[in-house]
Amino acid sequence: AAALTKLDMFRNLATVHMTAIAGEDRRDFAHAYLKQCIQDRFSNLEISLDVDIHLGEGDTRPLVRLLRMLSFFLCALVQESKDQSATEARITQKSKEETIVLTVCGESIELRSGPDANLIPTQARTFHKGAGSLTAALKEKMSGKVDLDVLRQVLDYYFAKTLAPTVVISNDKNLISNLVQAIGSQEGVHSIMGVDPESYKMMKSLYDPNDTPNLRDDILKFGRGAFVAVELQCHSTDAQLCIREIIEDSPSMTAFSTIKSALYKSGLFFGVYVPDAITPEVKSRGSLIIYG
């Protein structure tokens, strides 16, 4: 920036230092975000929420992911409670390494941090029947390759649209293919198989004809918010670079697109086959990474 300001056209440049929210601001954000997630699900619910857990530092993306998982369990316990008009909830954690205890109207659930920072109940519990039946159906094919309790929980998050999108990465091609096929076989779930990012566009560019085939439009054809499972076969580093934006947890926008035409990731599942090393960009977007 200092060098640029020596040029006339950039002399008005100013350096702005960006830092992630911290301290009380971070705690206030977590509290507000959780309450909003609950009110999105239960619009008439009055909730008193006490949050006393380790919220991390720096980048807020892991924090948001943590909060979305916590909101999943909060909403599940509220759904099970008899009174859904007024609720008291408390989330506690003695230290960063210890479990998180979530209590709603006297009912508690204890959560541990599993692989890839997924929150897993210490006592196996499934809230969406699809997650349980899918895991049971995949048991033989997945046994020994992945912790089935973790897989069941990730699928539970997927069907609740908690992780948006849900991204499972593996160097086992058959595992990814079987997983996407199984999810796509569920009622109300669509599937797109065998997508090679190097030969098939993820989305149109500004100069592409309107009828250019691309994955973004393929997904949107099923309708906004639809459940769609996609198999991505990334045989090279270039292929991984191609998928960075489509598997990011933010809406996919194209040139001159609007909020109405954006691809929101809620309801999307990406099974990503990567035979060799995972690039940091793709790895940071993984909900679950299974490497044998």
Side-chain angles (χ1 to χ4, degrees):
L4 286 174
T5 55
K6 295 178 181 179
L7 302 175
D8 286 343
M9 65 183 299
F10 295 120
R11 65 178 179 273
N12 293 321
L13 281 180
T15 301
V16 178
H17 295 281
M18 304 291 290
T19 58
I21 56 174
E24 287 303 313
D25 288 340
R26 198 175 182 92
R27 191 163 299 281
D28 290 344
F29 167 76
H31 189 273
Y33 191 94
L34 283 171
K35 288 197 72 171
Q36 185 61 57
C37 287
I38 297 168
Q39 288 169 351
D40 287 344
R41 175 81 179 274
F42 304 98
S43 57
N44 296 321
L45 178 69
E46 293 184 10
I47 185 166
S48 173
L49 180 62
D50 183 16
V51 182
D52 185 16
I53 61 174
H54 183 78
L55 298 174
E57 299 175 346
D59 190 354
T60 56
R61 288 178 300 173
L63 172 61
V64 170
R65 187 168 182 265
L66 170 68
L67 296 175
R68 289 182 67 86
M69 289 187 284
L70 288 172
S71 72
F72 167 87
F73 292 104
L74 278 171
C75 290
L77 291 182
V78 169
Q79 184 68 45
E80 292 181 349
S81 67
K82 295 180 180 179
D83 184 6
Q84 295 181 9
S85 60
T87 296
E88 291 186 359
R90 180 172 172 78
I91 308 173
T92 59
Q93 183 184 30
K94 292 183 179 179
S95 70
K96 181 180 179 181
E97 292 73 24
E98 296 195 37
T99 57
I100 294 175
V101 178
L102 194 153
T103 305
V104 175
C105 294
E107 292 294 323
S108 297
I109 187 167
E110 187 175 359
L111 308 170
R112 63 181 175 88
S113 181
D116 304 301
N118 288 295
L119 288 182
I120 313 294
T122 54
Q123 296 184 350
R125 187 173 182 182
T126 306
F127 293 93
H128 191 286
K129 62 179 182 180
S133 60
L134 257 179
T135 306
L138 289 166
K139 185 175 181 179
E140 289 187 11
K141 296 178 180 179
M142 299 291 183
S143 182
K145 298 179 180 180
V146 60
D147 184 329
L148 293 178
D149 286 342
V150 176
L151 178 61
R152 184 188 301 110
Q153 187 56 58
V154 169
L155 292 174
D156 224 353
Y157 288 144
Y158 168 64
F159 286 111
K161 296 185 175 181
T162 299
L163 302 177
T166 302
V167 182
V168 175
I169 307 168
S170 179
N171 62 346
D172 187 325
K173 187 175 183 179
N174 289 332
L175 183 151
I176 290 296
S177 182
N178 290 333
L179 183 57
V180 174
Q181 285 181 347
I183 294 172
S185 69
Q186 299 297 295
E187 183 179 357
V189 182
H190 309 279
S191 63
I192 301 173
M193 303 297 299
V195 177
D196 183 343
E198 288 191 275
S199 60
Y200 195 75
K201 280 185 172 287
M202 295 296 97
M203 61 183 68
K204 293 194 298 282
S205 68
L206 176 60
Y207 303 105
D208 285 328
N210 287 334
D211 60 351
T212 300
N214 66 94
L215 181 59
R216 178 181 177 276
D217 287 351
D218 292 344
I219 295 172
L220 285 171
K221 288 175 183 176
F222 294 115
R224 186 176 299 280
F227 284 102
V228 184
V230 181
E231 179 190 14
L232 296 171
Q233 299 179 356
C234 297
H235 297 281
S236 67
T237 299
D238 287 345
Q240 293 187 62
L241 293 175
C242 291
I243 70 170
R244 289 182 304 172
E245 203 279 338
I246 199 78
I247 65 172
E248 176 61 86
D249 57 350
S250 59
S252 288
M253 309 284 287
T254 58
F256 304 118
S257 63
T258 64
I259 291 177
K260 290 184 178 180
S261 63
L263 172 63
Y264 291 86
K265 309 299 175 61
S266 178
L268 300 188
F269 180 99
F270 292 102
V272 185
Y273 166 62
V274 179
D276 300 311
I278 311 173
T279 61
E281 294 85 359
V282 170
K283 187 174 183 179
S284 69
R285 291 157 172 78
S287 309
L288 180 61
I289 298 174
I290 307 169
Y291 258 57

